[in-house]
Amino acid sequence: MKHLTSTKKFDLPYILNLFQLTDSLIKKPEPTLLSGKIMASCFFEPSTRTRLSFETAMLKLGGQTTSFVDYKSSSSSKGESLKDTIKVISSYVDVIVLRHPKEGASTLATEVSKVPIINAGDGLNQHPTQTLLDLYTIHQCHNKLEGLHVALCGDLKHGRTVHSFVKIASLFGMRLYFVSPKELEMPNDLIKDLRQQNVKFTIHQNLSEILPKLDILYMTRIQKERFQSNLSSHTYPSHHIVTKKLLKDAKSNLKILHPLPRNDEIHPEVDDTPFACYFQQAENGLYVRQAILALTLGTST
């Protein structure tokens, strides 16, 4: 695919090919694979893992990067439109990684870009490369993706990582559980899509009642930066916080994921348990994004 803007564009052959390439790059690094290529990372919102893993991935493949990490340092602060920004930058580089607070920004960018656009998060909409590394990590943990019982817990209203994830669940017949405070439930349009795709899911407000059934627990933080003022003081209820005590009823092979950063939703005492998989997940971001860049730029090992 030329652009990577949505998980809706993923199919099973693409995902399996990406996994194979990721495995290959882990076993046998390719430090000259993208020699001569330049990536622009254009981040209009804060990022640690996504930006640094993409930039490191490009460097490890022999490419180069150019970037801005604060829209105030770009001409957007002078009123330049996103389309004009992308039109110009795409004449300088071979691929653009874009994060933007506006939903649909990456799709808008594809209308004028001369080079591939990779969506690194657009508002509340999607974060497709995070979904790919999530799936890769789950496959690492369970050696399969089909038929798993997966709970998504936390701020499901504002979390673009979970929005991306559920859009691809139908490919693998996953059984989903949505756990959140009522005011932070999964958006109705996504619920409607899941019903149309015959994805099995249920909605819960207490994590402990479904924990014994789970293969994967995907935790998310409350995204206060995206709240309206009437929700700005919302905090995690105690029954949504993962502790060792809570995990006493979990399957022995349960794995806990989190896109990070975390706040209070996973107690640090869980980090050293066999359940914790979120730091491995973050590391996988580097390897999966190497494979994404290689495939997007039409290069493979």
Side-chain angles (χ1 to χ4, degrees):
M1 64 182 71
K2 180 179 180 183
H3 303 290
L4 199 163
T5 59
S6 168
T7 55
K8 287 184 177 180
K9 295 186 176 182
F10 298 160
D11 57 21
L12 198 54
Y14 175 82
I15 292 171
L16 294 178
N17 189 26
L18 182 81
F19 285 7
Q20 290 174 357
L21 182 53
T22 303
D23 289 340
S24 175
L25 289 168
I26 292 173
K27 294 174 183 176
K28 183 182 177 183
E30 296 284 346
T32 62
L33 188 65
L34 296 184
S35 179
K37 302 290 187 180
I38 301 175
M39 180 191 82
S41 54
C42 302
F43 280 70
F44 292 80
E45 285 188 318
S47 172
T48 300
R49 279 152 292 277
T50 302
R51 181 175 67 85
L52 291 182
S53 63
F54 260 119
E55 292 181 0
T56 304
M58 192 66 177
L59 294 171
K60 282 183 171 291
L61 293 174
Q64 300 178 65
T65 67
T66 186
S67 66
F68 64 81
V69 296
D70 183 351
Y71 81 94
K72 294 179 181 178
S73 67
S74 75
S75 290
S76 297
S77 64
K78 303 175 184 177
E80 183 176 60
S81 69
L82 177 63
K83 278 192 171 183
D84 283 359
T85 298
I86 296 299
K87 188 179 292 187
V88 171
I89 293 175
S90 69
S91 66
Y92 300 157
V93 299
D94 300 288
V95 61
I96 295 173
V97 178
L98 175 65
R99 171 167 290 187
H100 199 279
K102 182 179 178 180
E103 293 182 33
S106 60
T107 300
L108 185 69
T110 65
E111 296 175 6
V112 296
S113 179
K114 300 175 183 177
V115 300
I117 299 291
I118 298 177
N119 181 5
D122 58 336
L124 305 183
N125 186 31
Q126 290 218 23
H127 196 345
T129 69
Q130 179 70 43
T131 297
L132 290 171
L133 74 91
D134 293 342
L135 291 174
Y136 182 80
T137 303
I138 292 171
H139 191 269
Q140 267 189 334
C141 294
H142 287 287
N143 202 32
K144 68 173 186 176
L145 292 170
E146 295 78 10
L148 295 174
H149 286 236
V150 180
L152 305 169
C153 180
D155 186 350
L156 307 186
K157 179 177 181 178
H158 303 98
R160 60 191 169 203
T161 62
V162 294
H163 296 171
S164 289
F165 189 92
V166 300
K167 287 179 183 291
I168 206 166
S170 62
L171 275 181
F172 305 104
M174 293 178 176
R175 170 59 164 92
L176 302 179
Y177 303 83
F178 300 147
V179 187
S180 69
K182 191 167 182 59
E183 60 269 39
L184 299 179
E185 289 180 350
M186 191 70 72
N188 287 332
D189 59 331
L190 290 176
I191 293 292
K192 182 179 178 181
D193 287 346
L194 292 173
R195 286 184 174 135
Q196 290 176 344
Q197 297 169 25
N198 295 316
V199 175
K200 293 181 180 179
F201 69 90
T202 47
I203 297 172
H204 307 267
Q205 293 185 18
N206 194 318
L207 181 57
S208 61
E209 68 185 28
I210 51 109
L211 189 68
K213 304 176 183 178
L214 302 181
D215 302 300
I216 295 291
L217 172 58
Y218 193 111
M219 297 296 297
T220 64
R221 68 184 175 89
I222 291 182
Q223 300 195 18
K224 295 182 180 180
E225 71 274 18
R226 302 192 188 281
F227 280 16
Q228 301 297 321
S229 58
N230 63 329
L231 288 176
S232 60
S233 62
H234 199 91
T235 58
Y236 252 83
S238 59
H239 54 272
H240 287 175
I241 297 175
V242 180
T243 61
K244 281 186 175 181
K245 182 178 180 181
L246 179 74
L247 293 171
K248 64 181 175 57
D249 295 323
K251 290 182 180 180
S252 60
N253 64 345
L254 170 74
K255 298 301 179 184
I256 302 171
L257 273 63
H258 193 307
L260 303 178
R262 67 173 164 181
N263 292 324
D264 303 323
E265 58 273 13
I266 302 177
H267 194 284
E269 69 184 9
V270 177
D271 295 356
D272 296 326
T273 70
F275 302 112
C277 206
Y278 28 91
F279 292 116
Q280 177 185 342
Q281 177 188 6
E283 181 179 351
N284 283 339
L286 169 61
Y287 308 127
V288 171
R289 288 176 173 130
Q290 285 188 75
I292 288 169
L293 287 169
L295 290 176
T296 301
L297 291 171
T299 308
S300 62
T301 55

